[in-house]
Amino acid sequence: AGRDARYAGFNRALDSRRSIGSLAKPFVYLTALMQPEHYNLHSILPDDPIDLKLPTKQVWRPQNYDHQQHGPQPLYMALAQSYNLPTVALGLQVTPKAVLDTMHSAGYSGDAQPLPSIFLGAVDIAPLEVAQMYTTLAAGGYQAPLSAIREVMTKEGEPLSRYSIKVQQTLPEGPVYLLSWALQKVMTLGTGRSAYSVIQPDVVLAGKTGTTDDMRDSWFAGFGGDRVAVIWVGRDDYKPMGLSGASGALPVWSKVMRDLRVKTLDNTPPADVDEQLTDTATGLRADERCTGAMVMPFMHGFLPEDDAPCAGGTNPIEWIRGIFN
């Protein structure tokens, strides 16, 4: 998008390195989910103001996109709504270096420094490399280098030369599955939900919006069961467009995936993931008495053992007191 005659012949998919904004957030959350002894999909994250002194002596004060605070958030909902403050708080807990390591494991090959600003996507990456990173997520943590040629055929249609695909596991399958579950909530509860005005609602999809400062870049990256697509919309001269990820890139992504007849995601959990009916208010074990409960995946050995108040467990007043004690 944003073609300009002054840039004729410039391949934006390969050579245009732009700030990825909130497309970086899944890698913050994945870094946390790789530590199941500390985090799960319902871990409560603060949505409080942050003042962070940088090495330059400047103070960084990130804000949510809507300049509002929304109270403590379950981890999956903070990602679904793309809240900045909970993301930064989580990133600081797991450390910038660990997040950058996760990004490299997904396929990022650049030389960004491990600074807190990477949590909100202050890192320039070409669209093709973003596709590589999200393809690793779509493949359950298995990475295969992207290639434009699979095989060369003779004029009779016989294979002349085949290019083998080298696949290696670079991210753990279980935590990636948990992240994919959260990215599906982006599509049903969060910033990606308008995709289902174009795509049939029974097609399970996962994805993430991305918007950079002053709306200079609009991104959407996501996948179904057989396709990964990354859309960037922006101007070559870096002028703002006034389009967020949801209003610019997402409508394009949705139509592309619809036209490709994207298949639904297979939500069969890997062997190291267990599922449990979970109370969305408390993150504890639910039963049929709990309104709005959902089946939530957890790493094996880390299922919530206590019953939620709605399931006859702890008195709600005592449970609330326990959070703040």
Side-chain angles (χ1 to χ4, degrees), residues 145-164:
L146 301 184
S147 173
I149 302 174
R150 185 176 64 187
E151 60 185 10
V152 178
M153 314 289 285
T154 66
K155 63 181 181 180
E156 290 80 20
E158 297 295 324
L160 181 65
S161 179
R162 185 180 293 271
Y163 295 80
S164 60

Side-chain angles (χ1 to χ4, degrees), residues 14-320:
L14 298 174
D15 303 318
S16 179
R17 305 183 70 83
R18 304 287 291 233
S19 179
I20 64 170
S22 293
L23 293 194
K25 288 177 181 172
F27 303 98
V28 179
Y29 290 85
L30 177 57
T31 304
L33 293 170
M34 288 161 60
Q35 305 174 33
E37 68 277 13
H38 298 301
Y39 303 99
N40 62 40
L41 286 164
H42 204 283
S43 294
I44 301 300
L45 306 179
D47 188 18
D48 299 327
I50 295 173
D51 286 359
L52 192 64
K53 185 173 286 188
L54 303 176
T56 60
K57 306 301 182 183
Q58 293 178 308
V59 176
W60 185 43
R61 295 188 177 92
Q63 298 184 57
N64 288 326
Y65 180 76
D66 59 3
H67 299 279
Q68 303 293 319
Q69 291 169 236
H70 308 275
Q73 297 292 316
L75 185 149
Y76 77 92
M77 188 59 75
L79 179 58
Q81 299 294 346
S82 201
Y83 292 146
N84 290 342
L85 293 177
T87 302
V88 173
L90 181 63
L92 292 172
Q93 291 173 20
V94 300
T95 76
K97 181 183 182 304
V99 172
L100 193 57
D101 287 346
T102 301
M103 293 173 64
H104 281 299
S105 294
Y108 170 59
S109 63
D111 57 0
Q113 297 302 301
L115 300 173
S117 56
I118 66 170
F119 305 150
L120 303 184
V123 53
D124 297 338
I125 307 180
L128 187 69
E129 193 157 87
V130 174
Q132 176 74 80
M133 297 166 70
Y134 272 78
T135 298
T136 304
L137 299 181
Y142 290 84
Q143 185 182 133
L146 301 184
S147 173
I149 302 174
R150 185 176 64 187
E151 60 185 10
V152 178
M153 314 289 285
T154 66
K155 63 181 181 180
E156 290 80 20
E158 297 295 324
L160 181 65
S161 179
R162 185 180 293 271
Y163 295 80
S164 60
I165 299 175
K166 297 179 181 178
V167 179
Q168 60 177 333
Q169 185 175 5
T170 58
L171 289 168
E173 193 172 6
V176 170
Y177 180 86
L178 268 59
L179 176 68
S180 176
W181 185 93
L183 291 174
Q184 292 169 41
K185 300 309 173 195
V186 172
M187 308 303 293
T188 57
L189 302 175
T191 57
R193 58 188 179 274
S194 68
Y196 287 114
S197 65
V198 176
I199 299 172
Q200 291 294 322
D202 60 344
V203 179
V204 179
L205 301 167
K208 186 70 192 75
T209 49
T211 310
T212 60
D213 288 347
D214 299 324
M215 295 190 175
R216 288 185 171 87
D217 302 275
S218 168
W219 291 90
F220 195 86
F223 49 91
D226 62 337
R227 303 283 184 177
V228 178
V230 174
I231 300 295
W232 167 78
V233 179
R235 293 174 57 105
D236 290 321
D237 59 10
Y238 286 87
K239 290 181 180 179
M241 302 172 299
L243 294 173
S244 68
S247 63
L250 177 56
V252 179
W253 183 92
S254 302
K255 292 175 183 177
V256 167
M257 293 299 250
R258 177 199 64 191
D259 293 347
L260 289 172
R261 298 181 180 177
V262 61
K263 294 181 180 178
T264 190
L265 276 168
D266 177 7
N267 271 335
T268 304
D272 58 348
V273 170
D274 296 324
E275 294 181 317
Q276 181 166 282
L277 188 64
T278 305
D279 175 37
T280 54
T282 64
L284 301 178
R285 186 166 53 196
D287 64 16
E288 67 281 355
R289 291 171 288 183
C290 297
T291 303
M294 67 171 69
V295 176
M296 189 174 291
F298 296 86
M299 294 302 296
H300 182 71
F302 294 95
L303 286 171
E305 297 180 353
D306 295 329
D307 288 332
C310 56
T314 307
N315 179 284
I317 301 298
E318 294 301 321
W319 181 83
I320 293 171

